[in-house]
Amino acid sequence: MTAVLPPASALRIRKAAVLGAGVMGAQIAAHLTNADVETVLFDLPAKDGPKSGIALKAIENLKKLSPAPLADKDRAAAIIPANYEDDLEHLKDVDLVIEAIAERMDWKLDLYKKIAPHLSKTAIIASNTSGLSINGLAEALPEDMRHRFSGVHFFNPPRYMHLVELIPTKLTDGNVLAGLEAFLTTTLGKGVVIAKDTPNFIGNRIGVFSMLATMHHTEQFKLGFDTVDALTGPAVGRPKSATYRTADVVGLDTMAHVIKTMADTLADDPWHQYFKPPVWLQGLIDQGALGQKTGAGFYRKAGKDIVVLDVGKRDYRVSEQKPSDEVAAILAIKDPAEKFGKLRASADPQAQFLWASFRDLFHYSAYHLADIADTARDVDFAIRWGYGWKLGPFETWQAAGWQQVTGWIAEDIAAGKAMSTAPLPAWVTDGRTGVHGKAGSYSASAKTDKPRSQHPVYARQLFPDPILGEKFDQGTTVWENDGVRLWTLGDDGVGILSFKTKMNTVNDHVLDGIQHAIGVAEEKLKAVVLWQTSEPFSAGADLKGALGLLQSGNIDAFKSMVANFQRTSMRIKQSLVPVVAAVRGLALGGGCEFQMHSARTVAALESYIGLVEAGVGLLPAGAGLKELAIRAAKANPEDPFEALKKVFETVAMAKVSGSALEAKQLGLLRDSDVVVFNNYELLYVAKQVARSLAESGWRPPMPARAIPVAGDVGAATFHASLTNMQAGYFVSEHDVEIALRIADTLCGGKIERGSLVDEEWLLALERKHFVELAQTEKTQARIAHTMTTGKPLRN
């Protein structure tokens, strides 16, 4: 048996303090609270009202932000508001202090001197600075504290951005650093990159340069901001917000501040002349058009239209976000080498713009690699995790053919076309075919390839985020069909069951495959983990197949499919080996029902779980309503109706949880289900849970034969509330019909309140209502509309 690795070797954080209740500080406090770390949020004493009013206001504001910093809004009450005048006593028992005040070295140093006398001899101190010198900041601390200080730079928004840069000083203790890395990775779910203490560290150094290069070439090739966004978004493997929308979201004043930091601190950088906001960016800032927060920046809304700034006209025009036909065709080419060759050879200004932007990004990244990062892998992960790119700069370069692209960059430097005449470092042209290979990733400072970190926390990542060309053991197949694969990884006797369908939807092959695979597992294995090799967990039933049966009038086959769905859920529940669902991403409809029937669910924090069938005119019929009725009866056998109120609304309104924590609030996860913060640790933890259940002598629950139900009285109460909603035009007539059938199933049908029923009774109700609804014209219209548009239809 392999040893269970501790989630945070030798660093236990019970309580934390965040200094600074601004945008980042408050959201870091929120994420610590998400992770069950008791957190005190400090700010200056307020001039009016409660002394801790600034922190109080920031905590209240967390509930309103979107995307939500709190994985469960109720957790806001757990954050302790504080001020530097009255509450420094709070610091005596904190294990971790994260400073997140404004980017002023003098302010930060003053604050460190103020807090230092109140900290314990073991407290870890960190700064969330985005670019100030960590060694410079350490100087304000007493000497006996400096070994416990480092930079811990979160990216915005802290809950969702995977990257955290960890920046040691010359004196940071190695054990402190290792402990912090483990805490950030497992407890907070982050991807940690160790950065050197250079201005803007890795992510912003390379990411902001990329934006500056893009802005420079926007001007050079006279392109519109919307055209550039069409070229630098998903078309090249980057987020939809691309370049100028990203700048609007970040804030143009924030962007200018980061650029100024580069200008002030990187005087010797060969690209220094470009470290200034373009005239039109400064013009927007001077007008107070700072992006999203002021309602206008490069873009603004005009009625229903999104309009974009036209520099030539000095006014906004309707955005036409699309590349030229020639460039669209080049970007559609799958082979990166061919794609880059055609971009460089094309006379189209858009193609020349893209080549020039990539060329200067590659040149800059290679030139500075030795100074800013230990390896090329750190640069690529920093950009992928901090900026949302599918591939980092070195990966992109290597995929496009290292030597070919290197030759082109060298030619352009010699011809004076590149932004800088700085030569490429010698290692770039030493005959290599890339920087990532079997021996690891290249370290320009150490002049050798380095493997991944051997920190014990990474042994918990059975399938870490792969760098270009990296391959991991895909395990041994035990059994498979066209829908699923049952396989093992290692010799722990735990099988892994993965779907093979698009979006991991559920069709006949998946249903039959799950049932057969569980039978195989009962013969050969100790336990099974239901885990997908990539997100989502499951987008639910295959609607196309279901609609085909309905439209062809094959109702008997449709009924059989529904019965088979229920059989599959029950097979999961009644398996003689524990089945643990490992959920990340979407778990909708049937995917939600499968995890409800598992022995235990281990869900990543970012799991979006819901019974969404009402949105397509149906009700859950994969045994989900039956399971909710049983849970309500267990919660309150005397009056199941009380527990049904919340779940009825959840199902009737097709609610999807905003996190795994919220899924517990909605009744879609059990209190005993486990929430994991790092997606890459999900399979490891799920296997440990499955094995633990097996070792403890797992037996499936006995068939429920005496389930007390709310009956016709409960259904009538739901009916009354629906009538009021319909009268207020909040729901349509068809919405009401769907909701009434959901209510009837949850309440056990038209029988007396308190009657005892068995599981088969509830399953039969589910099937009856599902099949009847599916045959209505309005439901079929909803299914077809959702399949065509991806959006629900209200009819």
Side-chain angles (χ1 to χ4, degrees), residues 281-322:
L281 173 56
Q282 193 57 54
L284 285 168
I285 293 167
D286 293 344
Q287 290 169 33
L290 306 180
Q292 201 172 70
K293 59 189 170 189
T294 60
F298 291 109
Y299 294 90
R300 67 175 171 82
K301 275 194 97 169
K304 289 184 179 176
D305 290 327
I306 299 288
V307 291
V308 64
L309 180 68
D310 187 312
V311 174
K313 295 177 181 174
R314 297 192 175 186
D315 199 0
Y316 288 86
R317 60 168 171 78
V318 174
S319 173
E320 301 164 358
Q321 206 165 342
K322 60 177 188 176

Side-chain angles (χ1 to χ4, degrees), residues 652-690:
M653 295 180 71
K655 283 185 182 177
V656 177
S657 72
S659 71
L661 297 181
E662 194 185 339
K664 288 192 175 190
Q665 297 284 346
L666 294 175
L668 299 172
L669 287 179
R670 297 155 288 204
D671 285 341
S672 58
D673 289 332
V674 179
V675 178
V676 170
F677 273 56
N678 195 315
N679 274 359
Y680 298 106
E681 295 185 354
L682 181 69
L683 179 58
Y684 171 84
V685 176
K687 287 185 80 180
Q688 297 290 350
V689 169

Side-chain angles (χ1 to χ4, degrees), residues 75-90:
R75 294 196 170 216
I79 303 173
I80 302 164
N83 69 83
Y84 302 124
E85 209 166 276
D86 299 343
D87 301 314
L88 291 177
E89 274 297 295
H90 270 300

Side-chain angles (χ1 to χ4, degrees), residues 758-777:
D758 61 11
E759 288 185 79
E760 187 44 56
W761 173 274
L762 293 168
L763 290 169
L765 273 173
E766 269 190 12
R767 288 196 302 275
K768 169 183 174 290
H769 287 308
F770 186 87
V771 172
E772 288 174 2
L773 272 174
Q775 292 178 79
T776 64
E777 190 179 318

Side-chain angles (χ1 to χ4, degrees), residues 18-22 25-26 29 40-46 50-62 76 79-84 87:
V18 177
L19 311 180
V40 189
L41 179 61
F42 280 87
D43 211 297
L44 295 165
K51 255 316 187 30
S52 299
I54 296 173
L56 276 163
K57 190 176 176 185
I59 293 165
E60 194 55 35
N61 193 48
L62 289 170
I79 303 173
I80 302 164
N83 69 83
Y84 302 124
D87 301 314

Side-chain angles (χ1 to χ4, degrees), residues 741-769:
R741 290 174 182 270
I742 291 168
D744 188 66
T745 309
L746 286 172
C747 294
K750 293 173 178 57
I751 55 176
E752 280 187 30
R753 178 181 181 174
S755 298
L756 301 179
V757 301
D758 61 11
E759 288 185 79
E760 187 44 56
W761 173 274
L762 293 168
L763 290 169
L765 273 173
E766 269 190 12
R767 288 196 302 275
K768 169 183 174 290
H769 287 308

Side-chain angles (χ1 to χ4, degrees), residues 22-60:
V23 173
M24 283 302 284
Q27 293 199 46
I28 291 167
H31 195 55
L32 286 162
T33 307
N34 289 336
D36 290 323
V37 177
E38 186 183 10
T39 303
V40 189
L41 179 61
F42 280 87
D43 211 297
L44 295 165
K47 291 187 173 74
D48 303 305
K51 255 316 187 30
S52 299
I54 296 173
L56 276 163
K57 190 176 176 185
I59 293 165
E60 194 55 35

